[in-house]
Amino acid sequence: MAIPIIIDCDPGTDDAVALMMAVAAPEVFNVLGVTTVGGNVSLELVTQNALKVLELVESDIKVYKGCSRPLVKPGIMDADYVHGLDGLGGVVLPEPNRQAEAKHGVDFIIDAIKSHPEPVTLVPIGPLTNIAMALVKDPSIKKNIHEIVFMGGAMRGGNVPGGYAEFNIFNDPHAAQVVVTSGLNIAMIGLDVTHDALMTEDYFERLGLINNVPAKFMTEMLRATFEIEKKRYGFGGCFLHDPCVIAFLFDRSLVTGRHCPMFVEIGSPATSGQTVVDWHNWQQSPANVFVADSINTQGFLEVVMSLIERYKH
Ligand code: BDR
Ligand code: CA
């Protein structure tokens, strides 16, 4: 039976790929709705992008606009230097025929969890603002949350100035701290994993052989990211951060990790947003997060390809 999920996202080139992967596998994912959060680019743009991507794959999954800025700190960080000014690498998709729903994303998360007959899995792939807001606004939802699997965090080096934090957590560390201390089942798919999830030249070639609209869109969009990241990291590939979460939920054997005590640094101006993981549990505290530390890169890329290949148009 398909897992009921809510994808909370900020598309974002890699968010766009994650959305297309999830929609392609209805036997695995019952996507109850998509919520958006300001992150890679503004809330308005990420919401439009989510609608455009869903329309591209002919999905009628509803989109709900969430929070435009982090809980406490000003929303100063965006990532248009990676995702392009529009968030989709400069690829122009048709304007969507529909709009976001009137209900706020946080209220949708609460109502969907409360009304669903089975426990729901939350899949945040942007800053954790909406998820924290939902948990604070109505803590009773906790009893019907199966788990939260988020893309964010890093044990071994980040991707924001300072190099200690990961973008999603850096953007809203207070929200992240609410989530990781919630007592729920939490899995962190961070940079330790996603930096091994590189879309390399050979997989661009494979993608080029898939004759459908999503593959063409993905090629064009990721080519732009590829060039940017090549300059920054010197790698011959571009990161598929958010798709790792979908791949993990699709096939858990692709990722290894362990349950650890973990907290988010919020007090220090120098390291705000750092995810501090006690990998060897020196403090002998209860583990609160499953922290992923490796991925089967080839197996992951095969999942990405096979899901995108499913589209018939
Ligand atoms: C994360 O930050 C965003 O730019 C990506 O979409 C991903 O969610 C990677 O650090
Ligand atoms: Ca994202």
Side-chain angles (χ1 to χ4, degrees):
M1 185 137 77
I3 337 164
I5 66 171
I6 296 172
I7 303 179
D8 184 62
C9 60
D10 60 337
T13 54
D14 58 332
D15 302 72
V17 178
L19 283 175
M20 295 195 294
M21 287 168 65
V23 172
E27 81 288 9
V28 180
F29 303 112
N30 171 13
V31 186
L32 304 179
V34 167
T35 52
T36 56
V37 61
N40 282 322
V41 285
S42 70
L43 180 65
E44 295 308 320
L45 277 174
V46 297
T47 306
Q48 282 301 101
N49 290 345
L51 287 162
K52 286 178 185 174
V53 171
L54 289 172
E55 203 151 297
L56 187 82
V57 294
E58 297 178 352
S59 163
D60 57 6
I61 295 166
K62 293 188 169 132
V63 174
Y64 300 81
K65 217 193 268 190
C67 297
S68 62
R69 51 151 287 179
L71 294 184
V72 178
K73 60 182 245 185
I76 45 168
M77 185 79 186
D78 63 33
D80 56 12
Y81 52 89
V82 175
H83 300 268
L85 288 175
D86 60 349
L88 294 180
V91 180
V92 182
L93 292 180
E95 285 306 310
N97 286 314
R98 60 197 177 106
Q99 295 181 340
E101 303 303 303
K103 188 183 274 193
H104 192 277
V106 171
D107 293 321
F108 168 73
I109 292 171
I110 293 170
D111 294 348
I113 291 171
K114 285 174 92 162
S115 62
H116 203 272
E118 295 137 35
V120 172
T121 294
L122 297 178
V123 185
I125 52 177
L128 287 158
T129 321
N130 290 335
I131 309 298
M133 286 283 283
L135 290 172
V136 170
K137 187 171 181 191
D138 190 346
S140 78
I141 60 173
K142 285 187 188 176
K143 56 180 182 293
N144 206 31
I145 295 177
H146 175 59
E147 63 179 335
I148 301 178
V149 182
F150 70 90
M151 190 285 132
M155 283 190 288
R156 295 186 282 263
N159 62 355
V160 294
Y164 49 82
E166 180 280 331
F167 177 83
N168 289 338
I169 308 299
F170 180 76
N171 239 334
D172 197 342
H174 299 84
Q177 180 68 342
V178 168
V179 172
V180 303
T181 58
S182 63
L184 291 162
N185 288 326
I186 312 278
M188 163 173 138
I189 311 292
L191 298 180
D192 311 291
V193 163
T194 69
H195 274 177
D196 286 330
L198 274 175
M199 175 87 186
T200 44
E201 201 53 68
D202 42 341
Y203 278 93
F204 269 108
E205 272 171 37
R206 287 269 304 278
L207 194 60
L209 298 176
I210 302 175
N211 188 20
N212 63 25
V213 172
K216 289 195 174 60
F217 162 59
M218 192 171 147
T219 305
E220 202 187 330
M221 180 176 68
L222 293 184
R223 271 288 172 209
T225 320
F226 182 94
E227 293 308 325
I228 294 165
E229 288 184 342
K230 198 159 145 191
K231 279 195 199 119
R232 181 174 295 266
Y233 296 96
F235 293 157
C238 70
F239 296 124
L240 292 176
H241 303 284
D242 297 337
C244 289
V245 174
I246 303 298
F248 171 71
L249 288 165
F250 187 83
D251 176 0
R252 287 186 189 243
S253 73
L254 291 171
V255 166
T256 64
R258 67 167 75 152
H259 289 90
C260 305
M262 187 272 241
F263 74 92
V264 179
E265 178 59 62
I266 51 178
S268 158
T271 58
S272 171
Q274 183 171 15
T275 45
V276 183
V277 175
D278 188 351
W279 184 253
H280 298 288
N281 202 350
W282 282 100
Q283 59 193 341
Q284 303 205 333
S285 306
N288 55 330
V289 176
F290 171 83
V291 179
D293 77 325
S294 81
I295 189 163
N296 167 349
T297 305
Q298 202 178 337
F300 161 73
L301 288 165
E302 290 302 328
V303 168
V304 176
M305 292 298 137
S306 68
L307 291 180
I308 297 300
E309 214 160 24
R310 287 183 178 194
Y311 287 102
K312 299 283 174 257
H313 65 286

